[in-house]
Structures are given as structure tokens and as C-alpha cells.
Amino acid sequence: MSSVERATSDRPPVADRVNVALIAEAVEALGKLQERTGLKKVDLVNRALLIYEFVDSELRAGNQVVLRDPEGRDQLVKIFL
């Protein structure tokens, strides 16, 4: 197996392609995430959509999103979907 075949076999197959126009804030956030993570835009967008779907599902089920700081204090996160 060639290195190209190996690299593409590690990723799930492409199910759909979508072209989107991002607002300026989203472009800036995407750039910051690329710098921090080293991930490609496509990987970041895929992860963002999976997280958004999870959070939306949990909120609709009546659950809350809570962040815990290093000292163990919880903070309720308000997300308006």
C-alpha cells in the first residue's frame, strides 16, 4: 500500500461536499483554531458540526452545558441555538 493510499484509508469516506460562505468572525475563529491545533479547515469544520449537533441534541433533551475550571468550580454556559 502506498503512503497516499494509507493516508486516505485513515479517513472516513467523503459523504457530501458543501461550499459555504463564512462571516468574518467565523474566518477569524477558523484561523485561530488552525494555529492552535494544526488541523486542516475541513477537519475543524467537521468537528465543529459534530459538536454543534451533540450540544443541540443535549439542550433539546433538557440538559445543560457546564464548564469546570481547574479549581473545580462549575460555570453554566448559556448557548442560544
Side-chain angles (χ1 to χ4, degrees), residues 44-71:
L44 291 167
V45 171
N46 278 311
R47 288 178 182 202
L49 288 170
L50 292 170
I51 291 169
Y52 181 85
E53 192 284 323
F54 171 76
V55 169
D56 179 67
S57 175
E58 292 298 316
L59 292 174
R60 289 175 189 270
N63 295 318
Q64 297 177 328
V65 176
V66 177
L67 290 178
R68 181 168 294 129
D69 70 20
E71 286 79 38

Side-chain angles (χ1 to χ4, degrees), residues 5-66:
E5 290 170 327
R6 231 185 340 270
T8 57
S9 67
D10 293 341
R11 289 184 154 183
V14 174
D16 195 5
R17 290 188 183 275
V18 178
N19 290 321
V20 297
L22 300 176
I23 61 173
E25 292 87 354
V27 171
E28 185 178 335
L30 189 58
K32 288 178 182 178
L33 283 166
Q34 279 188 286
E35 287 177 18
R36 282 198 304 261
T37 66
L39 293 171
K40 296 178 182 179
K41 289 178 184 178
V42 66
D43 296 321
L44 291 167
V45 171
N46 278 311
R47 288 178 182 202
L49 288 170
L50 292 170
I51 291 169
Y52 181 85
E53 192 284 323
F54 171 76
V55 169
D56 179 67
S57 175
E58 292 298 316
L59 292 174
R60 289 175 189 270
N63 295 318
Q64 297 177 328
V65 176
V66 177

